Every structure is written in structure tokens, then in C-alpha cells.
Amino acid sequence: MIETIKQQIKIKLEEYYLTNYNTKIDIIVEEPKNPELGDISVPMFAVVKVLKKPMPEIVAEAIQVICKMDSIQEVMNVGAFINIKILKNKLAQDVLRVALLEGENYGASDIGNGKRVTLDYSAPNIAKSFSVGHLRSTMIGNSIHLILKKCGYDTFSINYLGDWGTQFGKMIVAYKKWGNLEAIQKNPIQELTNLYVRFHEEAKVNPSLDDDAREAFRKMELKDPEYLELWRWIREESLKESAQIYELLGVDFDSYNGEAFYNDKMDSVVEELESKGLLKEDQGAQIVDLGDDVPPALIKRSDGGSLYITRDLAAVFYRKKEYKFDKILYVVGNEQKLHFTQLKRLITKMGYDFADQIEHINFGLYLTNGKKMSTRSGRVVKLYDVLMKAIGLAYDLIHAKNPNLKDKEATAKAVGIAAIVFGDLKNYRGLDAEFDIEQSVKFEGQTGPYLQYTGVRIASILRGKTIEVENMNINVFEKPHYFELIKQISLFKSIIERSANEYAPSILAKYLLGLAQSFNKFYSLEKINTDDEQLRNSNFAVAKATRIILNEGLRLLGIPYVEEM
Ligand code: ARG
């Protein structure tokens, strides 16, 4: 709300100078550090300098303009500054009315204007364990997806499964040597992981296994029916691990077309590169030069094997045609920066003009005690187990706090997920993040459970109560602990828009922490359920608006709702 008034003052003054002096002046509008001076202040130096008139005249004119505006209580002049007090009570009332009226739609925006955004995220390499990097991609991608939807974008989400590649060659070799059909069917994730780990261990002492795996993969690429059948089966079984994680996180996709889907779509791309004279032979392989600043793209291996970039090239053309995106986002780790630079460069070289619609939404590593958390063979950190551990810890905390809670399991699940997801999303995605499960599950500090807990606290205050928004004491809103909170409530929409524009859920996550802190401060200073009817309505409205934002904000981060904990 203050933002809007600041904006209006700026526009009004700039218009005034344009019409009356035929001069374009950039007016600066700020919020004074010392609130005693007012809520908004406008320094007039720049105007004096441009118009070359005495300060008092300039100030007097500007005050005339500002006084005519709505929501202004008082305008004062101190030296070169015009200080403005706004009608806080009215503004606050408007904000609360809107929030309560709009409910879960509060904060919705139309900046997306129906534009189509395709998102590529999660993309685990199946037949390998679901890695921490893929978990980050899943959570960040899911949240960006939800935020963009809230901003009126027409979204389409794709899980570009890594369902083709040498890892399947390894699996097939391992299965043929040591596998047991029944055991796998009974316990697919465990058994397949064991096979994969065993392959890596044995290949260390017996490198010829790697040749066998390459040969097996070659057979797959040559469409050998037996091998394709095995591939299909291993693919299905290993997808169950990802499915478990998606179910837990409540994540779903519009398409699961993975790498294998593009097997028959690469030839035409390679032909096009060829016909445009871009392909070049290099030690038996086919490459495309991309200029001095970017290394060449390897399009076809010397043994004819297909490559990651060629597949992504085929995929992006297919998606452009099928989904007609205005923008395509790839939520993938920092280590693939070069890959996406090459992809864009290739498209431009081929004569297409949509490279700038492609955006690599990069993210950093997850660290535990400063070291990379990894799911490599041998030292397998099973992600599902990590999630389960968080849920277990949440259960213990809930049990200790509220032993009689009805559905402790379901609540623990929601709280455990909040811990993991928020623990990730509060960090700016591009940076490496230190991750500590125990810390993330706590109900206090900068955690997801803290936000859920604040929401639950509000829910319990408001349970069974009615709020009469038209019967509030609006003068209390001028008190700093009210106004600070209401100001934050008013910012929700612009925070969502910023998170969307920067593809950064961390902006929303940090805002929610600030909001919860302001609420808890308010809560410690005010008896919310007071006997004074008008005051009570004011307090309830503030609490309710906070709860609406916490719920909706957490939902946009992919964190489930809790009613009690
Ligand atoms: N499966 C790939 C990996 O784990 C990520 C795929 C990302 N998406 C893409 N279109 N390249 O490295």
C-alpha cells in the first residue's frame, strides 16, 4: 500500500513538471529511516537543480500537488525534503478487507497474461538412485511452476526422465549376471539399487564389465527386442522409486516424455544440421563449431552413439512445435551451464530466433558439513530415507509437544516435508546450500515447521470465531506493531510477482519468515481475543490475513497445509 502511494506521488509530480515546465524529471520517493519524520519523503534537490528556481517555491508547488492526493494525512516541509504522513488507518482497513475477501486468491496476479511457459524439471536418471540434485530440481521447479500459475501464466510441466543411456546397459549386464526376477518384483527399488552398486564395485576390479555394458547399450540403440524388453521392464520398476518421492512431495507433471521419447526424433535434427552446412567431422565424430567463446558441440559420437545435447536439441524443437512456448525453463544444476549455452547457440546457428526464450534456471549443490551430499554407488544416501528421517524427527517433536494430537502420522508427514522443502527453498537457488535435517525440522528459527506452527497458532485462536470486518477499530492500525504487520500483508502480491520474475522461490520464502516474525511479535504484544468487540475484530482480521498468506505462501512453495500440530 505504501508502495502504491509512493508510486502515485512519483507519477503525479513527474506529470506536473512535464505539463507545466515541459521537463522530464526523475522524482525519487523514499521512506525515511526515522518514522517520526513521516511515512514517505521526497527530496527536492534534483528539481531545484533542473528548474533553477528557489527551493521554497519548488517545495510549495510540490506540496500543492501532493495535498490533492487520496490517503494523505499531512504534508510537512523540512529543508529540502517534503515529508508525508499517510492515512494509515484507512489504508490498513482496505488491505485487510481485500485480503479477507479474496482468501486463497489473495496475491493472484495477471503479469503472465496467459503466456505459455514450459518447465523442464526433476528429470532423474532412472535405473540410478534419485539424487539430491534431482530433489532440488524437483522442489525448485515445482515451486516456480506454482508461482507462475498464480501469476496467470499458462504452464506446462515436463519430467524429462533420464530413461535412456549407458546406465541401462549396466543394469542389463548386472541383471543377467546376478539378478533375480522375483526379488526385483518384490522389492524393486532395493534390488535394483543393489544391482547397480554391485556392478560398480565389480567393475572396479573387472573393467571388462564396462565394455559389456557399452555393448548392451549398443544393442538397445540397435533396437534388439530382448534388450528393449529388458529396458522397458527395468524402466518401469525403477520409476517406482521416483513415484514414491513424487507422491510424498505431492508433485505431478503434465508430461513424462523422457530421453527415450526422442530416440526417433534426432535423425531429422542431425540432417538439418548437415544440410545447413554446420556439421563438421572431428576425429570420426560429428561436431558443430559455436564460435571462439564456446567449445564446439559434440553431436554424434565416432561410434554413431547419440548424445545428450543432440537429444535436447530434438526435444526443444518438438516442444516448440507441440507446446508453442513463449518461454522454456530448464531447472538444472550449475554444472550444466555450458550445455545450455551450447543449446542456445546451436539454435541460433541453425537460423531460429527463439534462443532467448530458453532459460537455464540453475541451482547449486547441497552440502552437509561443507561436503557434497551424494548418491554415488557404494555410499548411497537414499533420498527417500532422508525424507523419512525428517518425518520421523517431526513425529518425535509433535509427540513431545502434543501427545494427544489426533492424526500424528499425517501431521508428521506434512511437517517433515516442510522441513526439507523449506530448508532448500529459503536459500537463493544459484548458491550452494548447507543442509542440516535436524535444524530444519525445528519449530523455531528459519524453518518450514516454524511457519506451519505460526499458522496453526492463528488457526487455533480463530477456530469457531466470527470476524466482522465492517466493525473494526481502525485507529489501532496506526500503532507500529499493527502497521508493520499490515504493511507486510499488503506486499504479498508484489513479492509473488518478484519471485516469478526472478524465478526465485527464496524471495517468497524469506518474506514468509518476516511475516511470521512480525505476527509473533504482534502476538506477544496484544491480547488477540480481547473483550472489546471492535478491537477484537481488528485483531482477528490481522490474524486471519496473516493465516491466509501463510497458507497460500506455503502452498506456492510446495509445502502442505496443517490444521493442528
Ligand atoms: N537427467 C539429466 C541429469 O540428471 C537432467 C536433464 C535436465 N533436462 C534437460 N532437458 N537436459 O543430468
Side-chain angles (χ1 to χ4, degrees):
M1 64 192 144
I2 288 202
E3 282 312 314
T4 330
I5 299 178
K6 276 163 68 184
Q7 197 59 28
Q8 282 165 357
I9 293 175
K10 179 176 164 72
I11 293 172
K12 276 272 183 297
L13 284 176
E14 288 179 357
E15 267 173 18
Y16 177 82
Y17 296 121
L18 203 58
T19 7
N20 293 282
Y21 293 91
N22 204 9
T23 313
K24 220 184 145 332
I25 307 177
D26 184 21
I27 300 292
I28 293 164
V29 183
E30 31 192 58
E31 286 176 47
K33 294 243 158 21
N34 176 1
E36 311 248 291
L37 294 174
D39 306 301
I40 296 175
S41 103
V42 191
M44 300 307 292
F45 309 105
V47 185
V48 169
K49 206 167 144 204
V50 177
L51 299 184
K52 302 195 175 56
K53 281 178 73 173
M55 181 67 82
E57 268 179 57
I58 293 288
V59 167
E61 274 180 53
I63 288 181
Q64 283 291 321
V65 176
I66 297 168
C67 279
K68 288 203 202 97
M69 296 175 56
D70 291 339
S71 318
I72 306 284
Q73 184 175 36
E74 202 185 337
V75 184
M76 299 150 294
N77 169 226
V78 182
F81 291 87
I82 297 175
N83 293 334
I84 301 155
K85 277 215 164 87
I86 56 177
L87 280 171
K88 290 190 176 135
N89 49 11
K90 279 271 176 10
L91 275 172
Q93 184 186 32
D94 287 347
V95 168
L96 294 175
R97 269 188 186 147
V98 173
L100 266 54
L101 185 74
E102 294 187 345
E104 62 190 28
N105 283 327
Y106 187 55
S109 155
D110 51 14
I111 51 169
N113 200 10
K115 282 202 279 302
R116 182 122 255 228
V117 183
T118 297
L119 299 99
D120 174 321
Y121 57 95
S122 198
N125 298 321
I126 56 178
K128 289 189 188 171
S129 266
F130 200 104
S131 79
V132 180
H134 297 115
L135 178 70
R136 291 210 80 185
S137 171
T138 308
M139 298 187 295
I140 297 168
N142 181 49
S143 177
I144 294 177
H145 184 188
L146 295 167
I147 291 171
L148 291 180
K149 260 193 181 163
K150 176 105 180 169
C151 289
Y153 287 94
D154 176 15
T155 56
F156 190 84
S157 61
I158 304 173
N159 192 346
Y160 184 62
L161 296 169
D163 57 1
W164 195 257
T166 45
Q167 76 266 28
F168 283 94
K170 292 176 185 171
M171 274 306 218
I172 290 178
V173 170
Y175 172 69
K176 288 193 153 211
K177 278 194 169 347
W178 315 297
N180 173 331
L181 181 78
E182 267 162 46
I184 296 179
Q185 273 163 344
K186 239 206 236 122
N187 199 350
I189 297 160
Q190 192 53 49
E191 285 301 315
L192 289 174
T193 312
N194 290 348
L195 279 179
Y196 199 68
V197 171
R198 176 146 181 205
F199 180 92
H200 277 270
E201 306 251 284
E202 304 233 0
K204 269 189 230 147
V205 281
N206 180 7
S208 74
L209 279 175
D210 282 320
D211 297 331
D212 297 346
R214 257 190 298 277
E215 181 55 25
F217 180 56
R218 215 176 65 85
K219 285 207 170 135
M220 277 166 57
E221 295 230 277
L222 294 174
K223 301 198 179 68
D224 178 302
E226 184 204 342
Y227 279 69
L228 272 190
E229 193 41 49
L230 275 172
W231 164 75
R232 200 164 293 129
W233 175 65
I234 295 173
R235 178 183 188 276
E236 280 315 306
E237 294 301 321
S238 14
L239 264 177
K240 291 179 183 162
E241 186 197 11
S242 328
Q244 237 182 3
I245 290 175
Y246 297 141
E247 199 196 306
L248 206 53
L249 296 175
V251 173
D252 197 6
F253 298 85
D254 297 315
S255 160
Y256 288 82
N257 284 341
E259 298 196 21
F261 179 77
Y262 294 96
N263 278 342
D264 60 357
K265 298 176 180 60
M266 281 179 287
D267 284 351
S268 62
V269 177
V270 177
E271 275 159 30
E272 188 177 334
L273 285 167
E274 174 89 76
S275 74
K276 290 185 169 161
L278 296 168
L279 269 194
K280 179 172 126 181
E281 206 191 294
D282 185 71
Q283 299 169 27
Q286 301 289 324
I287 64 167
V288 174
D289 273 328
L290 298 176
D292 294 338
D293 51 338
V294 180
L298 186 52
I299 298 295
K300 221 170 181 165
R301 283 204 306 246
S302 51
D303 64 4
S306 61
L307 282 149
Y308 186 48
I309 186 118
T310 317
R311 216 171 271 276
D312 250 331
L313 201 54
V316 81
F317 288 131
Y318 177 87
R319 291 164 176 182
K320 183 73 189 163
K321 192 160 144 261
E322 285 301 306
Y323 312 134
K324 303 187 176 53
F325 57 76
D326 297 296
K327 194 116 215 169
I328 182 164
L329 310 178
Y330 292 87
V331 186
V332 185
N334 284 332
E335 66 284 358
Q336 293 194 25
K337 184 164 188 276
L338 175 61
H339 172 77
F340 290 103
T341 307
Q342 289 181 319
L343 186 66
K344 288 162 89 156
R345 200 54 84 79
L346 274 168
I347 290 167
T348 307
K349 279 227 136 188
M350 290 170 81
Y352 297 97
D353 62 0
F354 66 94
D356 54 3
Q357 296 177 347
I358 297 178
E359 204 133 355
H360 175 201
I361 308 301
N362 62 322
F363 57 83
L365 297 174
Y366 243 178
L367 307 174
T368 27
N369 304 322
K371 280 205 292 287
K372 183 178 170 182
M373 233 189 184
S374 132
T375 49
R376 277 229 79 79
S377 55
R379 202 166 61 82
V380 185
V381 183
K382 274 208 245 76
L383 216 51
Y384 189 70
D385 296 348
V386 172
L387 285 165
M388 283 304 168
K389 178 169 177 201
I391 292 172
L393 288 169
Y395 186 91
D396 296 344
L397 281 175
I398 292 166
H399 182 72
K401 236 188 164 83
N402 191 355
N404 299 322
L405 184 70
K406 276 194 287 330
D407 200 353
K408 273 186 273 189
E409 277 81 17
T411 309
K413 199 171 129 185
V415 172
I417 288 167
I420 301 278
V421 176
F422 195 84
D424 184 320
L425 296 184
K426 72 175 181 188
N427 306 295
Y428 179 67
R429 58 177 166 76
L431 307 173
D432 291 347
E434 180 68 33
F435 192 70
D436 179 336
I437 300 189
E438 256 116 73
Q439 219 49 41
S440 306
V441 179
K442 293 220 166 104
F443 288 11
E444 61 278 328
Q446 310 205 332
T447 70
Y450 166 69
L451 297 178
Q452 286 174 320
Y453 187 65
T454 306
V456 162
R457 177 180 256 178
I458 300 174
S460 86
I461 300 170
L462 296 180
R463 197 161 295 132
K465 304 286 196 305
T466 44
I467 309 173
E468 293 166 56
V469 187
E470 297 313 320
N471 185 23
M472 298 193 288
N473 171 351
I474 67 171
N475 292 325
V476 286
F477 298 147
E478 292 178 21
K479 293 189 184 171
H481 61 290
Y482 279 88
F483 197 68
E484 196 35 53
L485 182 54
I486 296 171
K487 201 161 127 185
Q488 298 205 38
I489 291 171
S490 78
L491 287 177
F492 189 42
K493 179 172 168 183
S494 66
I495 290 290
I496 292 178
E497 290 175 347
R498 264 185 62 210
S499 309
N501 290 335
E502 297 178 35
Y503 308 115
S506 58
I507 295 175
L508 174 60
K510 292 210 175 84
Y511 160 81
L512 293 177
L513 284 174
L515 178 78
Q517 268 152 16
S518 298
F519 178 81
N520 285 318
K521 179 163 172 210
F522 169 74
Y523 179 84
S524 69
L525 294 171
E526 285 298 321
K527 180 169 179 344
I528 296 192
N529 189 7
T530 137
D531 293 334
D532 178 331
E533 191 183 338
Q534 288 200 323
L535 182 58
R536 189 173 63 235
N537 280 320
S538 300
N539 291 347
F540 280 180
V542 170
K544 174 84 186 192
T546 308
R547 167 76 171 167
I548 288 171
I549 295 179
L550 284 174
N551 280 355
E552 181 59 5
L554 287 172
R555 183 189 72 80
L556 292 172
L557 296 177
I559 295 175
Y561 170 87
V562 262
E563 181 67 29
E564 274 183 277
M565 66 194 260

